[in-house]
């Protein structure tokens, strides 16, 4: 617990900053309002991401890439928008912490926009951002989670069946991480409702035919120049992760029991969690598929409060909310505090190495 004190302190500060930001009087909620509010609300988490030093498994790779850009390096294997982000900061002659700050803003500000717009309990959502581990995964898989956060802005357009803004936002997210193209599936599943029968058929089919499906996907990945390299790496030998499977399945089961059939927004979030659950079933069999789970699962920080809000009995709602909070706290304490998932401990800052 003490090892994670800096993260929980930033989480608490973010809750306080969020309360302050949304209680400031304003005339209208335009783009400028949301940019300011989300920046202020997320500032504590932005700050600890910006000033970290060698925190996160991929920190060194991102740090070295930025320094190569500063020295006139080319795009290399990275996506165009991520390259342009680095290039723009480099042209301003800023040091690496500014690049990490910009990445944190691109991840947190879109996510906070959706938290403040869609979550019935925004402070609980901020807690879940830490407790589910998604913030820690961002400190490692930065590009992927930026793409996932930007895609979150497309959810209202899925709900309204407005395909043009949806495509634009999907392409923007893909500009930071190629894997974001799979978010197109979310729009496809919004055309019809995933009922209990369809859920059971697909889930059972994936379990029974998992090896066949895995072989198909691995053959596709083998044909991609960059991602084929992972087939011969340690990523191909990762286990399924029983805890992740139980958690993902539990969210879907919980959401199904308290399904809100007249809530279109709920249905979009529900579909994303079902996809995350199906992906989790294939984890350990298809290389890198765990990353898809993290992308689709990010929406759970908003969806879980939505499920709770739909429970009519107040006592039941409080018991469920308390149980979820405790379980996720124990989960992140073990996976991050004990196992040091994503290599985010010990937390060190740039000031400690000056």
């Amino acid at each position: 617990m003490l090892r994670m004190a800096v993260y929980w302190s930033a989480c608490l500060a973010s809750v306080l900053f969020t309360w302050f930001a949304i209680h400031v009087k304003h005339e209208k909620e335009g783009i400028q309002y949301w940019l300011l509010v989300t920046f202020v609300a997320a500032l504590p988490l932005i700050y600890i991401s910006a000033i970290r030093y060698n925190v996160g498994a991929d920190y060194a790779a991102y740090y070295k890439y930025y320094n190569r850009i500063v020295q006139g390096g080319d795009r290399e294997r990275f996506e165009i928008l991520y390259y342009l982000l680095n290039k723009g900061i480099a042209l301003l002659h800023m040091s690496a912490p500014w690049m990490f700050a910009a990445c944190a803003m691109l991840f947190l500000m879109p996510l906070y926009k959706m938290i403040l717009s869609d979550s019935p309990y925004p402070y609980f959502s901020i807690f879940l951002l830490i407790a589910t581990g998604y913030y820690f995964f961002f400190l490692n898989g930065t590009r992927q989670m930026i793409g996932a956060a930007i895609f979150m802005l497309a959810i209202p357009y899925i709900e309204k069946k407005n395909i043009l803004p949806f495509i634009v936002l999907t392409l923007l997210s893909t500009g930071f991480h190629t894997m974001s193209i799979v978010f197109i599936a979310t729009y496809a599943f919004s055309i019809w409702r995933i009922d209990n029968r369809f859920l059971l058929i697909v889930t059972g089919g994936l379990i029974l035919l998992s090896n066949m499906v895995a072989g198909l996907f691995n053959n596709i990945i083998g044909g991609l120049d960059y991602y084929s390299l992972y087939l011969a790496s340690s990523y191909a030998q990762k286990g399924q992760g029983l805890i992740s499977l139980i958690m993902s399945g539990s969210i879907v089961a919980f959401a199904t029991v308290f399904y809100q059939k007249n809530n279109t927004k709920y249905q979009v979030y529900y579909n994303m969690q079902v996809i995350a659950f199906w992906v989790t079933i294939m984890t350990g069999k298809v290389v890198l598929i765990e990353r898809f789970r993290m992308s689709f699962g990010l929406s759970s920080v908003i969806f879980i409060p939505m499920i709770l809000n739909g429970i009519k009995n107040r006592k039941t709602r409080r018991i469920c909310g308390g149980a979820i909070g405790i379980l996720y706290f124990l989960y992140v304490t073990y996976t991050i505090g004990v196992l040091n998932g994503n290599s985010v401990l010990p937390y060190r800052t740039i000031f400690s190495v000056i």
Side-chain angles (χ1 to χ4, degrees):
M1 178 61 181
L2 291 177
R3 298 179 71 197
M4 297 180 61
V6 64
Y7 296 113
W8 286 120
S9 297
C11 178
L12 177 59
S14 183
V15 168
L16 297 175
F17 278 40
T18 300
W19 181 91
F20 171 79
I22 63 179
H23 282 83
V24 172
K25 292 184 179 180
H26 58 280
E27 295 181 358
K28 57 182 180 179
E29 296 184 358
I31 294 177
Q32 291 182 337
Y33 167 81
W34 283 112
L35 287 174
L36 179 60
V37 166
T38 55
F39 174 75
V40 172
L43 185 57
L45 293 175
I46 293 172
Y47 181 70
I48 66 170
S49 175
I51 66 168
R52 62 192 163 114
Y53 176 76
N54 205 25
V55 173
D58 284 352
Y59 174 91
Y62 287 120
Y63 180 83
K64 291 176 182 177
Y65 177 67
Y66 178 70
N67 285 334
R68 290 197 297 272
I69 295 297
V70 170
Q71 295 167 13
D74 57 19
R75 175 182 161 187
E76 300 179 18
R77 64 178 177 82
F78 291 93
E79 290 81 359
I80 184 63
L81 292 185
Y82 182 73
Y83 164 71
L84 292 176
L85 172 67
N86 280 258
K87 189 68 174 178
I89 297 172
L91 289 173
L92 295 173
H93 304 290
M94 292 182 170
S95 58
W98 289 101
M99 182 273 294
F100 286 118
C103 288
M105 290 168 64
L106 285 171
F107 169 62
L108 291 167
M109 290 173 65
L111 182 58
Y112 269 64
K113 167 62 176 69
M114 296 310 298
I115 286 174
L116 296 177
S117 296
D118 288 356
S119 177
Y121 310 116
Y123 308 129
F124 189 47
S125 289
I126 295 171
F127 162 79
L128 287 174
L129 177 59
I130 300 296
T132 55
Y134 288 109
Y135 178 76
F136 302 108
F137 184 74
F138 157 73
L139 297 179
N140 179 18
T142 300
R143 291 161 30 246
Q144 178 185 341
M145 296 311 281
I146 289 175
I150 290 174
F151 177 77
M152 293 283 288
L153 296 174
I155 289 177
Y157 301 108
I158 301 173
E159 180 186 357
K160 299 172 184 176
K161 301 296 189 294
N162 193 342
I163 193 168
L164 184 58
F166 168 82
I167 291 175
V168 170
L169 286 165
T170 302
L171 290 176
L172 282 174
S173 64
T174 304
F176 284 96
H177 201 280
T178 306
M179 282 185 173
S180 295
I181 195 67
V182 298
F183 285 127
I184 291 176
T186 306
Y187 195 92
F189 276 110
S190 71
I191 298 174
W192 72 87
R193 184 170 72 86
I194 298 178
D195 57 24
N196 293 347
R197 182 180 177 184
F198 183 70
L199 175 64
L200 290 173
I201 290 173
V202 175
T203 301
L206 284 174
I207 294 172
L208 295 174
L209 304 175
S210 59
N211 291 330
M212 183 185 302
V213 175
L216 175 63
F217 277 100
N218 283 327
N219 285 336
I220 295 174
I221 294 171
L224 302 175
D225 290 339
Y226 171 65
Y227 291 103
S228 62
L229 298 175
Y230 287 98
L231 289 172
S233 71
S234 59
Y235 288 94
Q237 282 77 47
K238 286 193 173 182
Q240 185 175 52
L242 182 60
I243 294 178
S244 296
L245 183 62
I246 292 173
M247 289 174 60
S248 186
S250 297
I251 293 175
V252 172
F254 186 48
T256 302
V257 171
F258 296 101
Y259 194 85
Q260 300 170 25
K261 62 180 180 179
N262 296 320
N263 187 342
T264 306
K265 190 185 299 292
Y266 183 97
Q267 293 167 19
V268 175
Y269 280 94
Y270 179 83
N271 290 348
M272 293 183 71
Q273 292 306 308
V274 169
I275 295 173
F277 173 52
W278 287 340
V279 166
T280 308
I281 294 174
M282 302 305 298
T283 300
K285 298 183 178 182
V286 178
V287 66
L288 293 179
I289 202 167
E290 167 71 5
R291 288 179 174 252
F292 292 121
R293 180 185 74 83
M294 299 303 289
S295 292
F296 282 107
L298 178 62
S299 60
S300 66
V301 303
I302 298 172
F303 187 49
I304 290 173
M306 289 178 68
I307 303 170
L308 290 171
N309 191 54
I311 300 176
K312 296 180 180 180
N313 186 283
R314 186 176 181 181
K315 184 177 180 180
T316 302
R317 184 167 63 246
R318 287 185 171 182
I319 292 173
C320 289
I324 289 170
I326 291 171
L327 288 172
Y328 268 115
F329 177 79
L330 294 174
Y331 165 76
V332 79
T333 299
Y334 177 69
T335 57
I336 303 299
V338 178
L339 299 182
N340 194 18
N342 293 296
S343 302
V344 296
L345 295 174
Y347 179 81
R348 292 189 296 173
T349 73
I350 54 174
F351 308 116
S352 65
V353 295
I354 294 178

